[in-house]
Amino acid sequence: MSLLEVNGIKKIYRTRFGGNSVEALKNVNFSVEKGEYVAIMGESGSGKTTLLNILAALDRPTAGTVLLEGRDFSRIRESEVAEFRRDNLGFVFQEFNLLDTFTVEDNIFLPLVLAGKDFKEMREKLLPIALQLGIGDLLKKYPYEISGGQKQRVAVARALITSPHIVLADEPTGALDSRATDELLRLFAEINRAGQTILMVTHSVKAASRAGRVLFIKDGEIFHQLYRGTDTDEQFYQRISDTLTMLAQGGEKA
């Protein structure tokens, strides 16, 4: 069984009085194996944000199923959804989503505090992550005192501290300069090599070229996919660029 299975997902948004409808996702099918690093790419309006919201259990599909280790998201009661997200999913956002009134340490601890963990356990989990991400000297600072790249590393630490089954990253390099982008992508690759499953939505060919597989979504469907295979980052970058050009020119579905 795959770690994540997406089967026949459709999402239709209707206007308030039901007069019009928009089909954001038509028939999305794919799976993610444990330990994979998958990027999802597509133009604005292609449906990738809607798909990510469904995978994050922030929205429910109109039809189809999403299974995480065999558990169907749609069967989770509303009262249990927040707990399910906290216990199973890690999130990295473009805008960091850190609380400025909390120290770096407290921002990272937040999901464990909400889960009722004791301080000793939280510290034991934090220290190796802080060391790996190079933020040990930032723990007592506040988000407004650190750089964008450092904020994103803090956000990654917060995502990892619950030992999630999968990390969902939404345009994680979108607010970073080129140097901070390179550092974050290096860390993502390192985290993935250690066994963490990552699914990332991105516009960035550079970010996608670090993944092991890229899914291309167009008009609400998975249109094409590429596997890295033995490609270098540069070779995979070129194949991704060529595919995006083909999609923009109306290429046929794979």
Side-chain angles (χ1 to χ4, degrees):
M1 179 186 297
S2 299
L3 175 66
L4 180 72
E5 295 184 16
V6 178
N7 303 308
I9 289 295
K10 296 182 181 181
K11 182 63 182 181
I12 299 173
Y13 292 103
R14 292 184 172 85
T15 56
R16 185 175 180 182
F17 300 106
N20 296 303
S21 63
V22 175
E23 192 173 31
L25 297 174
K26 295 179 180 178
N27 183 32
V28 175
N29 298 277
F30 67 93
S31 62
V32 177
E33 303 300 321
K34 182 175 176 59
E36 264 202 291
Y37 184 176
V38 179
I40 297 177
M41 302 193 77
E43 297 177 347
S44 296
S46 62
K48 63 183 186 302
T49 299
T50 299
L51 176 59
L52 186 68
N53 286 339
I54 291 172
L55 299 180
L58 294 169
D59 198 359
R60 293 184 183 267
T62 305
T65 60
V66 178
L67 307 177
L68 182 65
E69 289 204 320
R71 187 175 183 187
D72 187 347
F73 282 23
S74 67
R75 296 184 181 276
I76 302 170
R77 286 183 286 189
E78 287 291 341
S79 60
E80 298 174 349
V81 168
E83 181 181 351
F84 173 82
R85 283 199 299 267
R86 186 181 67 232
D87 292 345
N88 295 281
L89 307 172
F91 300 94
V92 180
F93 304 95
Q94 178 175 338
E95 298 298 336
F96 320 127
N97 286 19
L98 301 177
L99 300 174
D100 275 340
T101 55
F102 282 23
T103 64
V104 162
E105 183 177 62
D106 288 340
N107 268 282
I108 298 169
F109 281 157
L110 187 57
L112 295 183
V113 171
L114 294 173
K117 304 298 183 183
D118 64 63
F119 183 72
K120 181 181 178 182
E121 180 181 348
M122 291 193 295
R123 286 290 296 177
E124 287 175 350
K125 291 179 73 71
L126 172 62
L127 293 177
I129 293 173
L131 181 64
Q132 179 184 24
L133 298 180
I135 57 173
D137 59 340
L138 304 178
L139 297 177
K140 299 304 181 184
K141 293 183 178 291
Y142 288 84
Y144 55 81
E145 297 178 304
I146 62 179
S147 70
Q150 290 170 328
K151 288 179 184 178
Q152 197 60 297
R153 280 185 276 155
V154 172
V156 172
R158 182 185 57 194
L160 294 176
I161 201 162
T162 58
S163 302
H165 290 299
I166 187 168
V167 168
L168 301 174
D170 184 10
E171 300 286 0
T173 63
L176 303 180
D177 61 27
S178 60
R179 183 176 177 182
T181 291
D182 288 342
E183 176 63 13
L184 181 69
L185 294 176
R186 183 191 67 78
L187 288 170
F188 265 28
E190 184 178 301
I191 292 162
N192 174 247
R193 283 194 297 271
Q196 178 64 59
T197 309
I198 300 173
L199 192 148
M200 171 178 62
V201 167
T202 183
H203 279 102
S204 167
V205 177
K206 183 176 185 178
S209 69
R210 305 295 179 88
R213 177 163 57 117
V214 181
L215 301 174
F216 298 88
I217 190 168
K218 181 178 180 181
D219 299 330
E221 296 183 88
I222 300 297
F223 191 85
H224 191 68
Q225 69 175 331
L226 292 176
Y227 285 88
R228 168 186 291 276
T230 59
D231 282 359
T232 63
D233 289 345
E234 291 76 16
Q235 290 168 333
F236 202 31
Y237 182 105
Q238 190 58 55
R239 289 174 62 207
I240 294 168
S241 296
D242 292 344
T243 300
L244 290 172
T245 300
M246 184 236 349
L247 294 180
Q249 295 173 348
E252 295 182 0
K253 185 177 177 182

